[in-house]
């Protein structure tokens, strides 16, 4: 008995815990994330070509400047809109408060690029609004109403309007989870509402705000549609230019590498900012904040101010899109429109299915065989969300093209694309990118179910697999549905990754609407855009239903 | 017949400096009910989980029905151990009906057999007619009985129960303890249960194992452990007690209560300190001054419902003592006398090398 000294032998229990089918499956999934990262990294280290020389000399400083300015501007704006409206909603009562509380989330259903081209169309010389202004009031408008939206400030405003809900949501949830006692204590010590906001609410809510803003910045770095439409040269558009205009694969990879450095820096800053601080109200009686009722002019002014993000980020552009869609529907509704919808939905549904299966596997592995290294493994496989779509596309394209070449050599089939430009590549990319979305939802419902249920099933003679199928999956159904729904929507509106990796002549709703818009045919982009927005709204609605009704 | 035997089982959790379980050994006869007793963190739950196979021990051997379930070479999966478990939270599957919960462990049996075994179990635990209820529609006691029926349906060799009464209302605890005890005895089940409540052990167990800091302190029938605890910790664990210090002088043990007539234990050397436990119920109040009675100063009294707890101080030495008197007996608020029978003084063999708790000053 005991361990024989000087000789290491793997015990049967060690083997059972660390080497089994579940762990192997999770390892494979982590490898899918490693593949694009490795291919970017190895390309990043190799020598550049002539195009790369040109890019570093002429374009790189501009990319960096624009990207950083975009990040700075969007984070400031989303903080002001998101935290400001969340605070006002938490402490004041005014007409329409209950509607605005959920309406402020609506822009989340509006992809940034759709919001972008809609506003560009709205403010352009030929838009119905401009025409109305000229004809009714006789005012001569310039090429643009108000200001040239197709600019860096324009892109900042558009991105902020479509992304602030992330910050608003986390800030609002945080504020409404706070017990009033802290603020009442501050009031009794002579602090006004405003002083409570600056000296208590903001510093206490910082972890929640950091989480929200970093999510927004990930989206900003991922964005291709807005910046390319608005003519703002950033790393993402640079990657496209390098690959498609210069035909320089290595430059695209190197740019991707630089963008990844930016992403990693962001992740590190987020970690440091968030740290382990959690300013939750200490244990005790929870009592919600007593809201101050606003009266008269101030009440209506507040309503209007808080309604502004919803109007600009959702209501006005949605109304415009509906108007355009009615105008152009007969034009757009040709034989190719139905297949387009079917294509998009099939693609999104299969991606959702794959991601859900994959994340059930990883989260159940983590639950059943918890250990340090499996934790690291699973965390790594959720890294994909941080890789911007264009980078991921390049990182997958390169090894897949190489594999095609090898396969061609093997079969002596000449030059044929076997893997590249197929659904397989596309689904692989979605899996890598959206695994975290699935994992977060499934994991959070898993942690709500007691592990003694697993143990009870095992003690009654059931294997890990039947326990998963008969006990765990039925119990986490809401989380599984939510995960699937979110991935479905994300894929439906995804642009840069799909643009690069899609099969030849294969269109999705997102691509079709974006292409119409870039062809100066914004009204014709409206029907596709509306379908995406409608599905997004449906998803938001279903999610609120699902999360409110856990099983029994 | 020994049905389960654990030998020198030790377990230290990764990242912890102290063993959760150290040299744990145990033998269980068929039909016996064994209680693992201790405060939270004493290792009793770890022991239970190792027996079930949900945790793996670092060292030791576990044999169930003469088959090795665990040693340094082998490991039997929990699914193969023939052990039924009733979890502290019962772990009823919330999405399945009572019937489906109970048949969940019978999936390898034929449909006819399943129905026979499950309905037998439903009758046995008195839940006939509840087939289509969901767990959340049942009371705590009923949920426990479903958990019991589910665990017993596959006819396991041993039943493990984790804190079986922690989720039961205090009012109903006594009744449910009795019902469960007679049910387990009726079926002749072999049971190991874990608890932190001495009353559970008194009501249910044939054998009790008291644990502290991963080690077994004492093992025996509940009566034996209550009557003859081995050290001050154990004496205090089974209810309030008075600790009386003594010392051997000239072959006689002297205490604050006076010299004792009893023979000094074998091996006790001159001037060596000893410690006795004296239960508050074994001290009685008297008004008469005679050779047997000891003068005390009454300090405080507290009405506890079934008795009055009195705190006093020995006039001679100033030592504090607690004792109980019937609730209707008046207690004079001054110097009076108490009576102690020497046979109620229990010598703690392991003290006083261990520290012992004192009454609060």
């Amino acid at each position: 008995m005991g361990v024989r000294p000087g000789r290491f032998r793997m015990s049967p229990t060690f083997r059972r815990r660390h080497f089994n089918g579940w762990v192997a499956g999770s390892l494979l999934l982590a490898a899918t994330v490693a593949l694009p990262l490795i291919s970017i990294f190895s390309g990043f280290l190799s020598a550049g070509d002539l195009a790369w020389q040109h890019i570093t000399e002429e374009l790189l400083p501009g990319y960096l400047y624009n990207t950083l300015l975009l990040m700075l501007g969007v984070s400031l704006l989303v903080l002001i809109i998101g935290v400001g409206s969340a605070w006002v909603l938490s402490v004041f009562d005014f007409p329409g408060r209950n509607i605005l509380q959920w309406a402020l989330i609506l822009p989340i259903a509006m992809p940034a690029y759709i919001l972008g081209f809609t506003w560009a169309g709205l403010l352009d010389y030929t838009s119905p609004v401009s025409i109305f202004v000229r004809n009714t009031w006789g005012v001569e408008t310039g090429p643009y109403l108000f200001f040239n939206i197709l600019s860096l400030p324009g892109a900042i405003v558009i991105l902020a309007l479509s992304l602030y809900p992330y910050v608003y949501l986390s800030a609002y949830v945080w504020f409404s989870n706070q017990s009033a006692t802290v603020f009442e204590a501050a009031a009794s010590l002579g602090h006004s509402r405003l002083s409570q906001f600056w000296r208590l609410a903001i510093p206490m809510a910082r972890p929640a705000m950091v989480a929200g803003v970093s999510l927004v910045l990930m989206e900003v770095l991922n964005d291709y549609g807005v910046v390319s439409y608005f003519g703002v040269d950033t790393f993402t558009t640079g990657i496209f230019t390098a690959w498609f205009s210069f035909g320089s694969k290595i430059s695209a990879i190197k740019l991707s590498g630089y963008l990844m450095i930016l992403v990693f820096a962001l992740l590190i800053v987020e970690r440091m900012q968030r740290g382990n601080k959690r300013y939750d109200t200490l244990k005790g009686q929870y009592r919600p904040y007593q809201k101050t009722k606003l009266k008269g002019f101030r009440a209506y002014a507040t309503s209007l101010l808080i309604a502004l993000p919803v109007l600009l980020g959702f209501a006005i552009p949605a109304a415009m899109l509906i108007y355009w869609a009615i105008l152009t529907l007969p034009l757009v509704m040709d034989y190719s429109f139905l297949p387009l919808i079917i294509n998009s939905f099939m693609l999104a549904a299969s991606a959702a299915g794959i991601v859900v299966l994959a994340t059930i596997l990883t989260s159940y592995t983590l639950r059943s065989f918890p250990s340090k290294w499996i934790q690291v493994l699973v965390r790594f496989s959720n890294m994909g969300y941080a890789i911007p779509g264009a980078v991921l596309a390049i990182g997958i394209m390169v090894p897949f093209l190489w594999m095609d070449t090898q396969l061609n050599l093997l079969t002596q089939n000449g030059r044929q694309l076997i893997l590249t430009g197929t659904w397989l590549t596309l689904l692989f990319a979605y899996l890598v990118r959206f695994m975290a979305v699935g994992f977060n939802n499934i994991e959070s419902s898993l942690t709500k179910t007691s592990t003694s249920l697993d143990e009870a099933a095992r003690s009654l003679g059931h294997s890990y697999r039947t326990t998963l199928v008969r006990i765990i999956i039925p119990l986490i159904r809401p989380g599984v549905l939510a995960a699937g729904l979110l991935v479905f929507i994300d894929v439906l509106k995804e642009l840069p990754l799909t643009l690069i990796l899609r099969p030849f002549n294969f269109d999705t709703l997102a691509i079709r609407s974006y292409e119409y818009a870039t062809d100066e045919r914004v009204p014709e982009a409206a029907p596709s855009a509306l379908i995406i927005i409608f599905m997004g709204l449906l998803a938001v609605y279903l999610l609120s239903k699902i999360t409110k009704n856990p099983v029994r | 017949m020994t049905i389960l035997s654990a030998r020198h089982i030790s377990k230290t959790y990764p990242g912890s400096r102290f063993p959760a379980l150290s040299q744990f050994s145990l033998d269980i006869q068929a039909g016996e009910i064994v209680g693992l007793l201790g405060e939270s963190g004493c290792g009793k739950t770890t022991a239970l989980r190792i027996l079930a196979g949900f945790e793996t021990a670092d060292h030791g051997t576990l044999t169930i029905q003469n088959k090795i379930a665990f040693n340094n070479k082998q490991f039997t999966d929990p699914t193969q151990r023939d052990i039924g478990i009733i979890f502290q939270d019962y772990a009823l599957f919330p999405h399945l009906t009572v019937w489906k919960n109970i048949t969940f462990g019978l999936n390898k049996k034929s449909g006819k057999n399943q129905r026979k075994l499950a309905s037998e179990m439903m009758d046995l635990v008195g839940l006939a007619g509840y087939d289509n209820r969901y767990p959340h529609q049942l009371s705590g006691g009923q949920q426990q009985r479903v958990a019991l029926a589910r665990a017993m349906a596959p006819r396991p060799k041993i039943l493990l129960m984790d804190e079986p009464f922690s989720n039961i209302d205090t009012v109903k605890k006594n009744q449910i303890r009795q019902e469960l005890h007679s049910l387990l005895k009726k079926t002749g089940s072999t049971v190991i249960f874990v608890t932190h409540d001495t009353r559970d052990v008194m009501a249910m167990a044939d054998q009790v194992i008291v644990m502290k800091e991963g080690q077994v302190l004492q093992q025996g029938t509940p009566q034996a452990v209550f009557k003859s605890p081995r050290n001050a910790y154990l004496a205090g664990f089974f209810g309030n007690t008075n600790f009386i210090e003594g010392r051997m002088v000239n072959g006689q043990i002297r205490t604050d209560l006076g010299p004792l007539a009893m023979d000094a234990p074998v091996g006790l050397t001159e001037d060596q300190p000893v410690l006795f436990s004296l239960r508050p119920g074994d001290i009685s109040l008297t008004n008469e001054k005679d050779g047997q009675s000891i003068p005390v100063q009454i300090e405080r009294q507290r009405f506890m419902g079934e008795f009055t707890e009195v705190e006093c101080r020995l006039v001679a030495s100033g030592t504090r003592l607690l004792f109980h008197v019937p609730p209707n007996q008046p207690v004079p608020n001054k110097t009076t006398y108490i009576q102690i029978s020497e046979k109620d003084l229990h010598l703690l063999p392991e003290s006083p090398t261990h520290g012992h708790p004192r009454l609060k000053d």
Side-chain angles (χ1 to χ4, degrees), chain A residues 1-4 9 11-13 16-17 450-464 466-467 470-472 474-475 551-552, chain B residues 49 53-54 56 59-61 70 72-75 77-79 83 85 87 89 91-96 104-105 107-108 134 136 150-151 154:
Chain A
M1 226 167 305
V3 183
R4 257 171 264 159
R9 224 193 60 232
S11 77
T13 50
R16 182 174 119 331
R17 292 189 70 76
S450 160
T451 48
S452 57
L453 292 175
D454 304 48
E455 290 174 353
R458 310 248 313 122
S459 77
L460 293 167
H462 285 261
S463 65
Y464 284 106
T466 55
T467 304
R470 291 190 52 185
I471 301 299
I472 301 303
L475 287 176
V551 264
R552 285 178 212 289
Chain B
R49 291 175 59 80
F54 296 130
T56 47
H59 307 292
T61 310
F70 172 82
N72 61 347
K73 289 195 196 70
Q74 277 168 278
F75 181 87
D77 202 71
T79 54
I83 284 182
I85 302 169
F87 291 84
D89 59 2
L92 297 180
F93 305 127
H95 61 304
L96 300 180
F104 194 80
N107 57 327
K108 294 194 176 71
Y134 282 93
H136 67 106
R150 185 181 70 181

